[in-house]
Amino acid sequence: MADDVQQEPACVTENEKPEDVFVNGDSGAKPEDLDIESTNELTVPKPSLPRRSSLMNKDGHSKRTPRKKTVSFSSMPTERKIATAQDCLAYMQNGSELIKVRSNSRQYHRFFSLSNDMTEIRWQPTNKKPHKAKIGVASVKEVRQGKTTDALRNKEIAGIYPDECAFSIIFGEEFESMDLIANTADEANIWVTGLTCLINANSKSSTAPNAIEEMQRMRDSWLLDIFTNADPENSGLIADSEVVKLFKRINDTITTSVISQKIKELQIKRGDGLRNRLNSDEFVALFKEISTRPEIYFLLVRYASNADHLCTDDLLLFLEAEQGMQRVTKERCMEIISRFEPTKEGREKGHLGIDGFTAYLLSEECDIFDEEHKEVCQDMTQSFTHYFISTSHNTYLLEDQLKGPSSVDGYISALKKGCRCLELDCWDGPNDEPIIYHGHTLTSKISFQAVIEAINEHAFSKSEYPLVLCIENHCSMKQQQIMAQQLKTILGDKLDMTTVVENMTEFPSPEFFKGKIMIKGKKLTGKQESGEGYVTDEDEGAETEKKKNNKREGSMKKHKLAKELSELVNFFVSKRFESFQISVQQQNLWEMCSYSESQALKLAMSCPEEFVNHNKRFLSRVYPNGMRVDSSNYNPQDLWNCGCQMVALNFQTAGLMMDLYNGWFRKNGGCGFVLKPSIMREEIAYFSASTREVIPGVSPQILHIKIISGQNFPKPKGSAAKGDVTDPYINIEVFGIPADCAEERTRTIAHNGYNPIFDESFEFQINLPELALIRFAVLDDEYIGDEFIGQYTIPFECMQTGYRHIRLLSNTGSIILNCTLFVHIAITNKRGGGKAYKRGMSVKKTKRSRDYTSMKNIGVKAIDETFKAAVQPLRDGTDLRDDVQISLAAFKETCGLAPIANIKQCIRLLATRIANTGEQSSLTYVMKGEYPCLEAQGNLPDILRKALMSFEDLISDCKNVIQNADTVYEKLLQCQKAGLEWHEDLETVCQQAGLRTKKLTKVSDSNSAT
């Protein structure tokens, strides 16, 4: 590892020592200074030199850990975990080596510590006199976490160190900044939390140490009451077994094994012969150590106004600023406190302590999945073709399709998952009873009647929207008639018998067919007086048979179809696909094509635009290749990107593909129907599934994910290793259109599956949010074989921002008890400098550098002139939008916050800073007419006046948008109407202009794009 550090001399001044200063991350570090160990739990270690190998790279750029297996040299944590403010302060008093960053980008290794009386922060070595190398705690205005100052945003610094390791101490009347880089995110959190507690304590009349002690009183009293109630004989001791029960009752997320292990460690350390019993002090201290999650404690302290708990005002601010909740009332805050705060005193006073705050963050209310999508929330009145539909393949199978068992349970399971399209492979059975199985294989057989009875009972248990039964018919005439009779008799009124309107212009909606069961299959044409007729066989079974017999592409076998069965098929008539052009000319809206996986992917690759347009009008069903004898699955995303509605998968086969499928159809209340993006529905819209560019009319989003910690990760299933030790890491994947697909991973945390701390941030650009899926997978780096521990897949649009817990699922989709991932989610618009800090650039843009939407010339002068009128309104709209976004980014930067921050956080910080100026100053939020204004009273430092001016600029640009947006919109609307007038006669006009074949196709696409 020492080879990774360049031995370059740094530029030094006359009084500086070369070993104390380095520039741009280069240092003369010696091999003996490097430490390859990394802690896997937040502990209070002895002071040590920074592990410089983790702080710098020889090329000056941050690097992501590759996705390959890694080897960890970490040892088990043996020292006490951070659980209270006192632990943070003790660490700070012991001191640690930090990197001090100057405004000129110079970086110095300095040893920082907190004085014993907690009144000063000191550092050494220094060229200053000792009495000057210190900052009084009383002069500290605030502590900022991350790269929030000009020195830390400098392009020579920004790319070297992680954001999580940076923090700044703002002090003095002029708000001077001491910018520091910690060795790890844990160390930075300790300093930020400890200093924040001291600032809050100094605001009280008592001394800081006493105030810090007072912070723990409410929690200590509660725990002592629990201990006393468990010791009716007042012996001052309770048995270990009782301790385990009490801890589990108070906090059911703690595992019994962890409690028992900690008790053993405590008793070994104590060594006084009092085995199997704990006194009250040990009980309180042990619960705090086990139950307190440092990352949540750090978060609580950031929002606690002056204590170790959140009052209703603090909680309200947290909910609105961090969790994105709107119009939160104090009554709502009291409701949360009453529900989650375990102490009686806290509930009475409206205080939410660390245990209540942790319980709240673990509750359903802070789940990452948006509650709105737990119910049907999309428009269900659009054409059936405008939805993705949950579709099962070989629904009857429980395993592979060669010799696996068939069961009615397969249908029941699929329906309970919200599946809206089931497959029935029907064959002649004994005693004139049709059966269902995978023909010509060793799979077991089940009764057709039993399947229909199960479907009738469970069809609408999960979703009230229509259910489609795909009948793959291989039966004789007699048994077809029996099938038809059983369908009508068993399903009764649920069976849809709606007659197709021959001249209909749009497929009816799911809302129209609500509560109905519909049949997909072949249908006789014309009047059949004999009660039967011949139809071509072109569905999945025929495709397999054709390959088996090596038949020509155009050769299709015909078979007899009973009139009784044909009459049940109305809106889902199977039709053979020939070409997109023939479909446009000859296919009826109620006819649909089925494609094998290979055929569909070939079309998706060769003509993605045509495939999307085809699926705007007609239904498409895609099924797995027949060669997938193990019932494996293909990636459904590839076909969703083309607008295919019924992408059928083998529901019985768990794995990545079913994770994506189940995650996708959790959208819209899990009803089995998900509305397509508008660009895939609108007739005059251009979209290619293979695009790698920004999509016209769709604003790209930046997804910021911070993986903070994990809880209770089990060993991978099938692991032969003894014990529960894992080496977890998190893999994040984005699925969507090709431009959005991405993958990142965290570092590995060695030997800690119980409470690993990751503290790593990632950023993804999402160009088509409506089609994107995010998958979090927890894997074991040590395990040989299947390293899977748990996963969670969620549609981008269903993600809630803020601090969220993810409840991990097993490979079968069931929830793993108490197994969670703690994350922070933020979503920002791409425009406005979302990545500017990482590049070390200003967020400001000139008009010359902006990206304006342009119009394509299609080669027909009259049409081109029509659309030219839209160029200037488009530029005006872009300027209006960008001015606001740039002003907002500048306001955040002036306030010292990251791009992912929101306005509420900015105003909150400004109010706090003005209150801490030491002058008789205050900040008032007022309305001047229809627009907000921040009015400050008192003598303010320049830095605060600059922030207020930045807010005024933001409001001015917002006002400009409000006053001019309607005018711009009206101009664009007029241009659109004029352009649409060309749409009907476009082909004729182009042909008259001399355009043919390929040029004509490009003109049509260009016209749709505009």
Side-chain angles (χ1 to χ4, degrees), residues 49 54 151 198 360 482 527 529 580 628 725 757-758 777 937 979:
L49 289 174
S54 67
L198 284 176
Y360 172 67
I482 294 172
K527 295 182 179 180
E529 295 180 359
F580 292 125
R628 293 183 180 272
V725 177
I757 304 291
F758 296 95
Q937 292 78 37

Side-chain angles (χ1 to χ4, degrees), residues 192 331 398 495 882:
V192 171
E331 289 74 20
L398 300 184
L495 185 63
D882 283 4

Side-chain angles (χ1 to χ4, degrees), residues 278-420:
L278 268 66
N279 62 36
S280 59
D281 290 342
E282 292 169 334
F283 177 85
V284 171
L286 189 61
F287 179 80
K288 288 181 179 179
E289 180 181 353
I290 296 176
S291 183
T292 305
R293 286 174 49 185
E295 70 277 21
I296 294 182
Y297 181 71
F298 295 150
L299 179 60
L300 179 142
V301 170
R302 277 175 50 196
Y303 275 87
S305 55
N306 58 7
D308 212 23
H309 59 255
L310 300 176
C311 64
T312 53
D313 288 339
D314 299 333
L315 181 58
L316 188 150
L317 202 57
F318 171 77
L319 296 176
E320 291 196 338
E322 288 290 357
Q323 303 300 85
M325 296 173 63
Q326 297 181 350
R327 298 180 179 85
V328 181
T329 63
K330 289 192 176 182
E331 289 74 20
R332 172 61 179 144
C333 294
M334 280 301 300
E335 180 186 328
I336 292 173
I337 292 171
S338 299
R339 182 179 170 189
F340 295 102
E341 174 56 35
T343 71
K344 183 179 179 181
E345 179 185 352
R347 293 192 297 271
E348 290 175 349
K349 294 183 177 180
H351 294 166
L352 188 66
I354 181 62
D355 299 293
F357 189 47
T358 303
Y360 172 67
L361 289 175
L362 279 166
S363 71
E364 289 284 345
E365 293 189 25
C366 290
D367 190 84
I368 192 173
F369 193 86
D370 190 347
E371 283 193 349
E372 181 184 353
H373 276 278
K374 292 182 180 179
E375 304 292 337
V376 176
C377 57
Q378 295 180 337
D379 179 9
M380 300 301 290
T381 63
Q382 297 200 29
S383 166
F384 218 100
T385 58
H386 290 174
Y387 298 86
F388 298 113
I389 304 167
S390 179
T391 304
S392 167
H393 175 253
N394 289 349
T395 315
Y396 48 89
L397 288 178
L398 300 184
E399 294 178 12
D400 66 80
Q401 60 187 47
L402 281 184
K403 52 185 177 57
S406 304
S407 173
V408 173
D409 292 339
Y411 290 93
I412 297 173
S413 175
L415 289 170
K416 287 183 176 179
K417 291 179 179 178
C419 182
R420 296 290 85 193

Side-chain angles (χ1 to χ4, degrees), residues 19 35 92 246 286 436 535 551 685 730 767 909 969:
E19 63 271 20
D35 182 3
M92 294 162 63
L246 288 175
L286 189 61
I436 292 176
V535 293
K551 292 187 177 181
I730 314 301
N767 292 288
L909 278 178
Y969 175 73

Side-chain angles (χ1 to χ4, degrees), residues 528-545:
Q528 300 288 338
E529 295 180 359
S530 63
E532 63 183 50
Y534 284 92
V535 293
T536 57
D537 187 1
E538 62 239 8
D539 276 349
E540 181 181 348
E543 182 76 15
T544 305
E545 189 71 20

Side-chain angles (χ1 to χ4, degrees), residues 51 209 212 325 337 474 578 621 638 648 766 818 851 856 859:
R51 292 162 287 190
I212 296 293
M325 296 173 63
I337 292 171
H474 305 278
E578 296 183 54
R621 177 178 174 269
D638 296 332
I766 311 296
N818 292 330
D851 298 323
K856 290 183 179 179

Side-chain angles (χ1 to χ4, degrees), residues 623-773:
Y623 54 86
N625 283 338
M627 298 302 292
R628 293 183 180 272
V629 294
D630 58 349
S631 292
S632 59
N633 285 312
Y634 54 94
N635 188 345
Q637 189 77 54
D638 296 332
L639 284 311
W640 289 332
N641 290 347
C642 294
C644 295
Q645 299 87 353
M646 298 179 174
V647 180
L649 291 194
N650 294 300
F651 275 40
Q652 74 273 24
T653 306
L656 169 61
M657 303 313 166
M658 276 309 299
D659 291 343
L660 298 178
Y661 211 83
N662 292 331
W664 180 250
F665 283 105
R666 290 186 69 198
K667 246 185 182 185
N668 202 26
C671 72
F673 287 82
V674 173
L675 190 64
K676 294 183 191 178
S678 59
I679 199 169
M680 302 178 76
R681 292 183 275 119
E682 295 171 354
E683 182 180 355
I684 305 178
Y686 172 82
F687 173 71
S688 170
S690 60
T691 183
R692 292 188 176 273
E693 300 177 352
V694 174
I695 300 169
V698 180
S699 179
Q701 304 290 302
I702 304 297
L703 173 63
H704 309 262
I705 298 177
K706 183 176 183 180
I707 304 294
I708 302 172
S709 64
Q711 294 75 45
N712 302 313
F713 294 160
K715 287 290 290 182
K717 188 176 181 180
S719 173
K722 295 181 179 180
D724 296 323
V725 177
T726 60
D727 292 347
Y729 68 94
I730 314 301
N731 202 64
I732 309 168
E733 289 183 86
V734 179
F735 295 85
I737 61 173
D740 291 344
C741 293
E743 184 175 6
E744 293 281 6
R745 61 156 289 176
T746 67
R747 71 187 189 282
T748 297
I749 304 297
H751 311 317
N752 187 357
Y754 175 62
N755 60 347
I757 304 291
F758 296 95
D759 258 329
E760 290 190 62
S761 297
F762 305 91
E763 205 173 86
F764 303 92
Q765 178 170 317
I766 311 296
N767 292 288
L768 186 54
E770 292 174 282
L771 270 186
L773 278 164

Side-chain angles (χ1 to χ4, degrees), residues 591-609:
E591 294 175 326
M592 62 177 292
C593 301
S594 292
Y595 312 82
S596 69
E597 165 195 344
S598 296
Q599 183 186 12
L601 289 174
K602 184 177 179 180
L603 292 171
M605 292 292 291
S606 60
C607 38
E609 299 93 341

